[in-house]
Amino acid sequence: MNRFEEKLSEHGLALRRAPLQTLQINVGRKCNQACRHCHVDAGPWRTEMVSEAVAHRIGEWIQGHPPEIVDITGGAPELSEQFPYFVETARAAGAHVIDRCNLTILEEPGYRELPDYLAHHEVEVIASLPCYTAENVARQRGNGVFEKSISALRKLNAVGYGTTLPLNLVYNPLGPSLPGPQAALESDYKAVLGRDFGIIFNRLFSITNQPIARFAEDLHRQGRTEEYMSLLANSFNPGTVEGLMCRTTLSVGWMGEIYDCDFNQMLGMQIQSGAAGAGLFLWDLMPEDLEGWAIRTGEHCLACTAGCGSSCTGALA
């Protein structure tokens, strides 16, 4: 039993899947950035990307079993040749579509028409911006990223994002600490970005850094792995469990394989047909088949239940 399961047991809790709300598609690992906190270990050198054949099998599933939300992520999901197919297929099926955007992709040659495309299809943009100062963003995401992000946000504002279309930002702490109160952070972001850059957005989502991939490597180099894991465990909040995204989200990998969440995907914790069964793919089942299934967990799950909790849409409590 891992430390997360021990915490659940202490509070008489169990973690099982509820009816599906969100299909989250990770289209691949390629990205135009290589951020220090990235749980995907994405970068320009990565080649793992969804093929046309797999994309169309996923699209057929969406058409046959339309989820409420289709959440497209990566890497930089817009780098996938299948990105427009997923957007248009999901919208045609009546789903709300989310693009998890790193902002700087909008400044790359060949992608500068993206704001108009996203607005035309009424895609919600959830954009990474770990701080409202250039210095702190550079520490986590590299030099020049903040300036490109501000330019991209202005372009999104110009086509209606932040007013008639939803534009939400994502905050991650710079180091091994928990995020501050989400409402206070959002207020600070809105004040500074509005005053200094004329930028408007709807909501800020605070997300706790996951102790996997590059962030885990940083912790190990600093000798702070156990310190951080103890912080997460000691900050366990049972009030977050009901709202955990793994209960209502199904994560799909670039080969069509399925996971309880994107973090499990990065750890290779594929949903299986039984206790030691074969790994399942999206087309192996219908949404209702997974209801009530036990969710695969590990110690990394403590990041989602620490303090105010953490999910792809921010704090939980």
Side-chain angles (χ1 to χ4, degrees), residues 9-307:
S9 179
E10 286 173 16
H11 292 86
L13 298 169
L15 190 56
R16 294 188 174 274
R17 296 194 63 88
L20 179 67
Q21 179 185 45
T22 301
L23 188 73
Q24 187 174 70
I25 307 168
N26 191 308
V27 300
R29 308 291 193 266
K30 190 173 184 178
C31 187
N32 60 313
Q33 297 181 175
C35 302
R36 290 183 62 185
H37 68 291
C38 182
H39 73 274
V40 180
D41 200 20
W45 58 87
R46 300 298 295 264
T47 59
E48 306 94 322
M49 298 293 282
V50 65
S51 68
E52 181 179 3
V54 170
H56 280 257
R57 292 196 76 175
I58 296 171
E60 290 167 4
W61 193 93
I62 290 171
Q63 291 167 338
H65 315 284
E68 181 181 338
I69 300 167
V70 172
D71 185 337
I72 310 173
T73 188
E78 305 88 353
L79 289 174
S80 169
E81 294 179 357
Q82 309 309 318
F83 180 76
Y85 171 76
F86 284 128
V87 169
E88 292 163 33
T89 300
R91 292 296 290 136
H96 177 75
V97 175
I98 295 171
D99 173 26
R100 292 194 177 267
C101 181
N102 68 13
L103 292 176
T104 62
I105 189 65
L106 304 183
E107 298 295 295
E108 296 285 341
Y111 295 92
R112 292 173 183 169
E113 302 303 316
L114 266 172
D116 288 316
Y117 175 82
L118 296 170
H120 175 73
H121 292 284
E122 299 180 315
V123 175
E124 175 182 348
V125 174
I126 298 181
S128 300
L129 190 69
C131 192
Y132 45 73
T133 69
E135 180 183 0
N136 283 343
V137 172
R139 285 173 59 195
Q140 192 175 89
R141 305 183 75 194
N143 292 329
V145 169
F146 180 77
E147 291 77 10
K148 289 181 180 179
S149 297
I150 293 299
S151 176
L153 286 169
R154 285 174 170 153
K155 291 175 181 177
L156 289 168
N157 279 173
V159 296
Y161 279 97
T163 50
T164 59
L165 293 165
L167 172 61
N168 301 310
L169 303 184
V170 172
Y171 162 83
N172 296 83
L174 283 174
S177 60
L178 299 182
Q182 183 169 281
L185 284 166
E186 179 179 299
S187 179
D188 290 344
Y189 265 69
K190 286 187 172 180
V192 175
L193 293 178
R195 181 191 67 224
D196 294 350
F197 306 104
I199 287 168
I200 55 175
F201 66 94
N202 298 100
R203 296 184 59 199
L204 179 77
F205 300 145
S206 61
I207 298 182
T208 303
N209 288 318
Q210 280 281 338
I212 58 180
R214 289 191 195 128
F215 188 70
E217 292 168 4
D218 272 356
L219 290 173
H220 179 72
R221 280 195 295 269
Q222 298 166 16
R224 302 184 69 180
T225 300
E226 185 53 37
E227 173 192 339
Y228 187 60
M229 295 309 301
S230 294
L231 170 66
L232 298 180
N234 293 335
S235 304
F236 179 81
N237 181 352
T240 63
V241 174
E242 182 69 19
L244 289 174
M245 62 184 179
C246 54
R247 299 190 65 246
T248 57
T249 296
L250 188 61
S251 174
V252 186
W254 62 277
M255 294 183 292
E257 73 280 21
I258 57 172
Y259 306 83
D260 291 305
C261 70
D262 199 50
F263 305 128
N264 279 11
Q265 181 176 155
M266 298 311 125
L267 293 169
M269 297 170 61
Q270 191 172 353
I271 295 177
Q272 298 173 331
S273 58
L280 292 173
F281 290 77
L282 183 63
W283 42 84
D284 290 332
L285 44 76
M286 296 184 290
E288 57 271 21
D289 293 339
L290 286 173
E291 289 181 31
W293 279 36
I295 291 168
R296 296 192 67 181
T297 68
E299 293 203 351
H300 64 289
C301 301
L302 290 166
C304 293
T305 53

